[in-house]
């Protein structure tokens, strides 16, 4: 193994140094604030689940990406797995709702911001470990819940400053009605939808080829379906096709109701009916959506209604809907906004002599108790120039110099690292003075 490769994190994972970590944390704080403003409560579940809880919830393609954990201890030699890292945050929510249903408020509005894992092939913008920012409503079948999810996600994206994003809306009932309108046999339907979900990754011709060769669909049916779904007037064409069937009309009514509920709150150019949106996960049952932004392949957020999932896990039959922000795709859209380095401290305290070190630590402790980020110089050099350079690299706003001359006068010298201005302050008043200077502007 090369000298550089051996220190890289595992494929599909990343290290986050302070500037990027803090940028991510600011984004998470913004999202939490918006979700809490809507009345959603936090929920934390384990990083791994029983394998039987996860399998069968994500479709054939999704199940292949579940990150299984081989048993250890007395079962290590068997190579069997009964646990897996969580694939998303929705199924763990459904399990928790099934377990604690009677103890949860009705409806239960929860959010979660946590890592998930997929046994996927890593690539540009694709990771095996990444964070999802989810919010869900359990126990309400009302279309108002779907609207609440969409509105909360919209406000989170808007608060983050994501430019030119747009919600694409559809319904599973629209898709099922579409299969009926094109006379797709019921046994071929699930596979056809899985392939249609690849329209954002493959060309229409490639999708037609897969529908015919892998899904068993007649070529003329596949061609007609793709022509209508990819036409400039696709929405109008599909609406016309669905008029004849009850399932399709039900789906259109779901989409139109959601559009009506968000009218006046979400600008009309930010949301619209998109008939070729599929969302391949098996557990969706009603309205589905994705959010796209210019220059980003795939979606930056997604979700929908998944009535029945909690019952499938053995709990009470409860309606549910939710959505998730793809923070890994969102962060690059926000621009730098910050310097390449981030401030580690606000106040830097020098140590000009070993005998003065106790005073430096005592001074720093007082400033920290006042709520100010403070660091003490820990290097070997006692040269002021070296310590000032350290203060600068730490991003300190002020440097406190306490040498023999200052001790003799019972003062400290406070240097403004931006202007270079220096002021003598009595030692006993240094904590209050630094707290005052570092206080946020009101």
């Amino acid at each position: 193994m090369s000298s550089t490769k051996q220190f890289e994190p595992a494929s599909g994972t990343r290290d986050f140094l302070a500037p990027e970590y803090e940028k991510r944390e600011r984004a998470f704080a913004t999202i939490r604030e918006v979700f809490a403003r809507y009345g959603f409560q936090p929920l934390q579940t384990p990083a791994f689940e029983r394998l039987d809880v996860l399998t069968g919830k994500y479709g054939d393609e999704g199940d292949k990406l579940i990150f299984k954990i081989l048993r250890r201890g007395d079962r290590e030699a068997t190579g069997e797995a009964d646990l897996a890292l969580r694939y998303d945050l929705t199924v763990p929510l459904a399990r928790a709702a099934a377990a604690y249903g009677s103890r949860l408020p009705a409806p239960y509005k929860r959010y979660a911001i946590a890592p998930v894992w997929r046994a996927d092939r890593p690539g540009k913008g694709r990771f095996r470990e990444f964070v999802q920012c989810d919010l869900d409503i359990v126990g309400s079948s009302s279309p108002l819940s779907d609207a609440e999810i969409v509105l909360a996600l919209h406000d989170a994206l808007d608060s983050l400053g994501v430019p030119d994003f747009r919600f694409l809306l559809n319904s599973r009932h629209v898709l099922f009605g579409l299969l009926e309108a094109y006379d797709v046999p019921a046994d071929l339907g699930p596979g056809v939808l899985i392939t249609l979900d690849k329209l954002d990754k493959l060309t229409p011709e490639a999708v037609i080829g897969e529908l015919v060769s892998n899904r068993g669909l007649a070529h003329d049916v596949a061609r007609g379906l793709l022509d209508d779904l990819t036409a400039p007037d696709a929405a109008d064409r599909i609406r016309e096709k669905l008029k004849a069937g009850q399932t399709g009309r039900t789906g259109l009514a779901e989409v139109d109701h959601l559009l009506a509920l968000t009218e006046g709150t979400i600008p009309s150019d930010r949301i619209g009916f998109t008939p070729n949106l599929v969302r391949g996960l098996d557990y969706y049952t009603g309205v589905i959506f994705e959010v796209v932004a210019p220059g980003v392949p795939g979606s930056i957020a997604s979700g929908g209604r998944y009535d029945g999932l909690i019952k499938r896990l053995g709990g009470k039959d409860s309606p549910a809907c939710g959505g998730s922000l793809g923070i890994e795709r969102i962060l690059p859209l926000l621009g730098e906004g910050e310097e390449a380095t981030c401030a580690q401290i606000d106040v830097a305290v020098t140590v000009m002599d070993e005998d003065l070190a106790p005073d430096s630590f005592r001074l720093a402790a007082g400033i920290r108790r006042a709520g100010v980020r403070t660091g003490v110089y820990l290097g070997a050099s006692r040269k002021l120039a070296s310590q000032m350079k350290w203060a600068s690299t730490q991003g300190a706003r002020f440097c406190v110099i306490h040498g023999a001359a200052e001790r003799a006068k019972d003062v400290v010298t406070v240097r403004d690292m931006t202007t270079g201005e220096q002021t003598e302050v009595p030692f006993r008043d240094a904590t209050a003075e630094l707290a005052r200077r570092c206080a946020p502007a009101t």
Side-chain angles (χ1 to χ4, degrees):
M1 185 179 293
S2 69
S3 58
T4 56
K5 282 282 188 182
Q6 65 179 319
F7 300 121
E8 291 181 359
S11 178
T13 67
R14 294 158 293 167
D15 297 317
F16 298 110
L17 299 184
E20 189 171 2
Y21 176 85
E22 293 194 354
K23 180 180 180 180
R24 293 169 66 85
E25 287 299 304
R26 286 192 295 272
F28 295 149
T30 297
I31 294 167
R32 286 190 190 95
E33 190 278 327
V34 173
F35 289 176
R37 194 193 311 157
Y38 272 79
F40 289 86
Q41 302 176 353
L43 172 70
Q44 180 175 309
T45 61
F48 54 88
E49 297 278 352
R50 295 193 316 275
L51 184 57
D52 63 282
V53 168
L54 300 180
T55 52
K57 313 303 186 303
Y58 307 109
D60 292 341
E61 298 295 324
D63 279 358
K64 294 175 183 176
L65 302 182
I66 293 175
F67 230 122
K68 298 176 183 178
I69 303 173
L70 294 181
R71 278 192 156 181
R72 291 293 183 254
D74 60 350
R75 297 296 298 274
E76 181 174 2
T78 69
E80 295 178 2
D82 66 339
L83 300 174
L85 295 173
R86 61 185 173 218
Y87 179 94
D88 68 359
L89 299 175
T90 303
V91 171
L93 162 68
R95 177 194 52 75
Y100 307 108
S102 62
R103 294 163 53 184
L104 300 176
Y108 177 45
K109 299 170 63 176
R110 93 83 170 88
Y111 76 84
I113 300 176
V116 298
W117 292 266
R118 307 262 172 99
D120 207 350
R121 176 176 294 178
K124 184 179 173 76
R126 296 185 69 86
F127 306 100
R128 288 173 170 165
E129 178 187 60
F130 56 96
V131 171
Q132 285 188 339
C133 306
D134 278 26
L135 74 168
D136 296 81
I137 300 175
V138 176
S140 172
S141 59
S142 170
L144 302 180
S145 297
D146 301 280
E148 177 108 325
I149 293 291
V150 168
L151 290 169
L153 291 175
H154 172 273
D155 286 3
L157 291 168
D158 198 47
S159 295
L160 287 170
V162 177
D164 303 324
F165 63 88
R166 188 169 188 270
F167 280 80
L168 313 180
L169 297 184
N170 203 358
S171 165
R172 294 287 281 188
H173 291 112
V174 165
L175 296 170
F176 296 143
L178 200 59
L179 297 178
E180 292 175 3
Y182 281 89
D183 296 322
V184 175
D187 61 322
L188 300 184
V192 168
L193 292 181
I194 289 172
T195 295
L196 290 179
D197 194 32
K198 300 177 182 180
L199 268 172
D200 62 338
K201 306 177 186 71
L202 303 177
T203 65
E205 291 301 322
V207 171
I208 290 173
E210 184 171 320
L211 287 173
V212 174
S213 61
N214 293 2
R215 305 303 180 185
L217 206 59
H219 188 275
D220 59 333
V221 174
R223 169 58 68 185
L225 182 57
L226 264 292
D227 284 349
D228 284 344
L229 284 176
T230 57
D233 60 343
D236 293 334
R237 289 194 188 192
I238 299 306
R239 283 184 179 276
E240 188 63 31
K241 282 278 188 182
L242 296 179
K243 284 182 179 179
Q246 180 59 49
T247 303
R249 291 198 302 270
T250 298
L252 288 176
E254 291 173 337
V255 170
D256 290 341
H257 195 180
L258 182 52
L259 288 171
L261 288 171
T262 58
E263 185 178 1
T265 306
I266 298 179
S268 59
D269 61 345
R270 279 190 175 180
I271 190 168
F273 173 44
T274 309
N276 63 2
L277 174 66
V278 176
R279 301 292 299 147
L281 299 181
D282 276 359
Y283 54 63
Y284 286 122
T285 58
V287 166
I288 54 176
F289 62 85
E290 288 187 352
V291 184
V292 296
V296 181
S299 63
I300 61 171
S302 60
R305 177 160 288 278
Y306 51 95
D307 299 338
L309 179 57
I310 295 171
K311 183 179 180 181
R312 288 171 62 182
L313 289 169
K316 182 181 176 181
D317 190 9
S318 299
C321 60
S324 177
L325 295 172
I327 196 67
E328 314 300 348
R329 292 179 176 176
I330 290 171
L331 286 171
L333 297 174
L334 306 184
E336 290 303 317
E338 300 289 332
E339 296 296 325
T341 59
C342 60
Q344 302 299 304
I345 56 177
D346 296 303
V347 175
V349 179
T350 63
V351 179
M352 304 306 298
D353 187 274
E354 289 299 322
D355 292 342
L356 298 174
D359 286 348
S360 296
F361 278 114
R362 182 161 55 92
L363 180 61
I367 301 172
R368 289 177 185 132
R369 282 195 293 270
V372 179
R373 297 182 303 172
T374 305
V376 175
Y377 180 72
L378 304 177
S381 174
R382 295 295 168 248
K383 294 181 179 179
L384 180 59
S386 297
Q387 301 197 39
M388 294 298 290
K389 182 178 180 181
W390 160 77
S392 179
T393 61
Q394 294 292 297
R397 297 165 59 189
F398 301 97
C399 183
V400 178
I401 304 168
H402 185 58
E406 282 82 10
R407 179 186 238 184
K409 295 192 290 183
D410 198 23
V411 300
V412 298
T413 299
V414 177
R415 179 182 177 90
D416 187 313
M417 296 297 291
T418 303
T419 66
E421 181 182 355
Q422 296 191 164
T423 309
E424 284 191 354
V425 177
F427 189 95
R428 66 179 180 276
D429 298 333
T431 293
E433 176 64 15
L434 269 301
R436 182 187 69 80
R437 293 198 188 194
C438 293
T442 57

